[in-house]
Amino acid sequence: MTPTDPALQRALDRERAHHDHCTTVFAAMVDGAQEHVVTGEDVSASGADAEVLGYRLRSRAEELRELPEGPLFFGRLDFAAGEDPERALHIGRLRITEHPAAPPLVVDWRAPVSRAFYQATAEDPRGVAVRRRFGWAPGGRGAPGDLTGLEDEHLGRGESRASDIVAREIERPRVGPMRDIAATIQPEQDDLVRAGLTTTVCVQGAPGTGKTAVGLHRAAYLLYTHPRRIRRGGLLILGPHPTFLSYIAEVLPALGETGVRQSTLAREIARHPVTRTDGAHTAAVKHDARTAEVLRRALYARVDPEAAGPLAVPDGSYRWRVPAEALARIVADVRAEEPPYTVGRERVRARIVRYVQDRAERRAGPRTDAWVRRVERARPIGAHLDAVWPRVRPEEVVARLLTDSGALARAADGLLDAEEQEALLRTDRVPRSWKSARWSAADLVLLDEVAGLLEHPEGYGHIVVDEAQDLSPMECRAVARRSAFGSLTVLGDLAQGTTPWAARSWPDTLAHLGRPDAAVVPLTTGFRVPQAVVALANRLLERLDVDVPAARSLRGDGELAIRPAGPGRLTGVVVDAVRAALAREGSVAVVAADPDAPRLRDALAAAGIPAAGPGGPGARVAVVPASVVKGLEYDHVVAVEPAAIVEAEGPGGRGLHRLYVVLTRAVSRLDVVHARPLPF
C-alpha cells in the first residue's frame, strides 16, 4: 500500500479511531485504579490484610500513572478462520480493557497469545492470517496524527517480507535514554525473554545484538508471568556503573513495571566508603577465588572447642555440670555441619541448653519455656560461647588477615604463595583496630564474602547481571549469594571484557555464579551497529584472546571514516568531526582515553560546542571517557586516538578489549581520529 492508497487511508482511520478509544479507556483505568485505592482504605478486614490490599492497589495505581506517554499498541494479529473466535488482537505494552471480564482492546505483549506476533512465520504461521505492524512518529505521544503508517504481512498466504517499519525503528536516531524494543523483538530474542522462571540463561551477545534489552524485557516478562513469586523475592538489575543505570532507567517503566531495584554490585556490597586504592597485583589476589577459602579458614580459626573447660550452669541453688568432653563434642559436631557462622554459634548454645534440659527433666520432669529461656541467658553459657565460638564482625576478620602476617600465613597455607601473601599484607599505615581501618574497593568484596559466611544475605527471586564478563570470581560469588534460591539472567560479551580478571570462558564464570549447568546462548546478529562498523570491529576481534564468533549486522547503512591528523592537529580534527556530525540528526559522543577527555571537552567549549559528560544521556553532544562508555550507544561516535585508549589500560592490560568496546558504540556513523599508528 502507498500513502495515497484509499484502502490504506481507511485502515489508518479505523486504527486511529481504535487508538482514540483505547486512550479514553486507559484514562478511565488510571482514574479507576486511584478510586480503588481510596475505597480500599476503608476495607473491612484485619489490619494485615488491609495493609496488603492497600499496597497492591497503590502499586497498581502508581504503575498506571507512571507509564510514559506514547502509542498504546504497536501490532495486531488477525487469526485464520476457526483459529480464534474473537476479533483481531492489538498488541501493546499493557493490557487495556473496558471491564476485567470484557475482551481486551489491547493485549499485553507478554501474554501467551502475543507470542505469535514475534514467532509466526510464513512456514509456521501459528494460526495467524495477517500480522500488522504500525508506524508511529518518533517521539509521538499517541495522538491520532502520530500513527503514520502500517504494513500487513499475510502469513496465511505464505507471504514473507522484511519489515520496513522494524528497520526504521531500529535505525532511528539514539537521543536520550535507552528505549524498549517490545515492538521489534526478534524470534531468537523472544525465546530468551520467555525462558522459564527457574531457568538461568547466559547470553553471549556480540555488540548491537540487543542483549541488554533482552535482559530488561525478560525482567518485565517474569514480573508479568510470576508476579507474586517475583515480587515476594524481589528482582534486581545489576549494571556495570551508574551512567549505564541512568541510560536504561526508563525501559522498565515504559513496559509498565516499576519498583524494580536497579543497582551496581559495588553499591550492593558497600559496607564502608572506599578510601584507599590497591595496586593491580594486590587487587587481583583479592579478587581471586582462592581468597574465599583463605577467608573461610581465617574466620573458623576463631572456633576453638578446647578454649574452655567444663561448664556449670546455675539453676536456682543448683548447678548443672557439663563436662568439657561433651562441650567439645557439641562444638565439633556443629562445626562439621558447616552452617553459617552466626547460625553455628546459636546452634552450639541451643545444644548446650538441650544437654542441660535433658538432665534436668530426668531429675524433676518437664521444664517450662520460661525455664529454657532463663538457662539460654545464663552468663556461664554466654561466656563459654565467647570463648569457643566468639562473636565476630567481617571487618575484624579481614583487618586481621591483611595486617597480621602470621594469621595470613596460617589461613593461606597451600593456597597463596609467599609473593601473593606479601601483596595482601598492608605495609603502609596499619590501623590500630578494624574501626579505624581504611578500605579499598577490593576489600569490600572480601568483607561481603565474610558477611556471607556469617549469615546468608537476603536473596532475590531473580537477578539480571549485565556486562557479566567483567565480574571477578569473588564478585560472582557475591552475586551467587544473593540468588541462592532464585535464577539469573547473565548478559555479556567476552570480547568486551576490560577488567584485569575479565572472563575468558563462560563455564568458569557460571561455575562461580553457582550455575555451572546454565545454557550459553550466542547472539551474533546485530541490529544496532552498522555493517561497516562491525567489519572494523571484527578485524580487532581477531587479535583478542577470546573464543567468540564474529558478529554480523543486518544493517547495510552506516558510515565509517578514518581521519588521520597531522602533528598538533588532533584536537582540530576532532572539533571538525563533531561539527560535521551536528549537521546530521542524532546524538554525538566523543570517546577518548580517560586522561584526554577533559582537554577535549574544553576544546569543544572553546569552539562554541557545549558538551555534557557521560552522566547526561539526553545531551546532543557528550565527551565520554573510554572507561565508562560500555553499554551506552550513540548515533555518531568520534573515537579519538585509539593507541592512547589502548595504552591507558596499562602494560599487560586489556586495552584492545577497551578499544573494541569504544568502536562498537556507534549506531549510525563512526569517525576514528588518530595522529599515531592504529592498533588494528
Side-chain angles (χ1 to χ4, degrees), residues 187-203:
E188 63 273 21
Q189 296 172 325
D190 184 66
D191 288 335
L192 294 168
V193 166
R194 296 177 191 264
L197 172 61
T198 59
T199 303
T200 289
V201 176
C202 176
V203 181

Side-chain angles (χ1 to χ4, degrees), residues 532-533 535-544 560-563 639-646 655-656 658-660 662-664 670-674 676-680:
V533 177
L536 178 65
N538 283 341
R539 286 169 52 190
L540 185 59
L541 180 65
E542 297 172 358
R543 298 185 56 189
L544 306 183
L560 169 65
I562 306 296
R563 294 174 175 257
V640 183
E641 200 62 275
I645 292 174
V646 172
L656 290 176
R658 180 74 70 190
L659 179 59
Y660 182 83
V662 171
L663 297 179
T664 54
L670 171 65
D671 284 359
V672 179
V673 180
H674 69 101
R676 299 166 56 186
L678 293 171
F680 46 82

Side-chain angles (χ1 to χ4, degrees), residues 199-203 214-215 218 222 462-466 487-491:
T199 303
T200 289
V201 176
C202 176
V203 181
V214 164
R218 175 157 165 72
L222 293 176
H462 190 81
I463 301 179
V464 177
V465 190
D466 208 346
S487 53
L488 296 169
T489 297
V490 182
L491 311 168

Side-chain angles (χ1 to χ4, degrees), residues 247-509:
Y247 178 62
I248 68 170
E250 295 185 13
V251 174
L252 286 174
L255 296 171
E257 299 296 347
T258 59
V260 176
R261 180 167 176 79
Q262 301 187 32
S263 184
T264 63
L265 184 59
R267 189 183 300 167
E268 290 297 296
I269 67 174
R271 296 174 62 92
H272 300 278
V274 174
T275 55
R276 60 177 285 135
T277 302
D278 286 321
H281 183 43
T282 298
V285 175
K286 290 179 179 179
H287 280 279
D288 193 293
R290 294 171 297 162
T291 307
E293 176 60 18
V294 175
L295 292 168
R296 190 193 66 80
R297 289 181 184 178
L299 173 62
Y300 283 98
R302 296 168 178 263
V303 176
D304 185 2
E306 312 297 334
L311 182 63
V313 182
D315 183 10
S317 60
Y318 194 78
R319 296 286 187 276
W320 297 104
R321 307 288 177 179
V322 185
E325 299 80 14
L327 293 168
R329 187 167 57 251
I330 287 173
V331 174
D333 289 347
V334 171
R335 178 71 182 84
E337 294 164 7
E338 298 186 346
Y341 186 92
T342 303
V343 173
R345 174 184 163 90
E346 294 309 311
R347 197 172 289 180
V348 170
R349 183 198 302 273
R351 293 186 186 180
I352 293 174
V353 172
R354 184 62 189 172
Y355 184 97
V356 173
Q357 185 179 356
D358 286 345
R359 276 140 190 80
E361 290 180 346
R362 289 179 190 173
R363 182 183 183 201
R367 305 285 87 184
T368 65
D369 290 343
W371 181 92
V372 172
R373 288 193 296 271
R374 187 170 63 252
V375 172
E376 286 175 341
R377 295 193 297 267
R379 288 187 177 180
I381 291 182
H384 181 82
L385 280 172
D386 289 340
V388 300
W389 202 298
R391 285 191 178 92
V392 67
R393 296 176 58 93
E395 290 80 359
E396 295 176 78
V397 177
V398 175
R400 185 184 181 197
L401 198 66
L402 299 181
T403 58
D404 186 330
S405 59
L408 176 60
R410 290 188 294 272
D413 183 38
L415 293 171
L416 304 179
D417 60 30
E419 183 183 359
E420 291 168 325
Q421 293 181 37
E422 184 179 355
L424 287 181
L425 281 173
R426 292 185 180 174
T427 56
D428 57 353
R429 180 182 170 191
V430 177
R432 292 185 177 181
S433 76
W434 65 267
K435 294 181 180 180
S436 59
R438 297 166 59 234
W439 306 103
S440 68
D443 290 337
L444 300 186
V445 180
L446 306 186
L447 292 172
D448 191 75
E449 179 75 26
V450 178
L453 293 171
L454 292 175
E455 52 188 325
H456 294 308
E458 185 175 349
Y460 290 86
H462 190 81
I463 301 179
V464 177
V465 190
D466 208 346
E467 303 296 349
Q469 77 281 347
D470 278 334
L471 295 179
S472 71
M474 291 292 283
E475 289 173 325
C476 287
R477 291 174 60 87
V479 175
R481 282 191 290 276
R482 289 159 173 80
S483 63
F485 303 104
S487 53
L488 296 169
T489 297
V490 182
L491 311 168
D493 179 9
L494 297 178
Q496 296 185 56
T498 52
T499 58
W501 39 78
R504 299 187 184 276
S505 72
W506 284 118
D508 290 343
T509 296

Side-chain angles (χ1 to χ4, degrees), residues 564-576 599-600 603 641 673-676:
R569 282 282 302 144
L570 184 71
T571 301
V573 174
V574 170
V575 172
D576 291 344
R599 174 175 56 83
L600 290 170
E641 200 62 275
V673 180
H674 69 101
R676 299 166 56 186

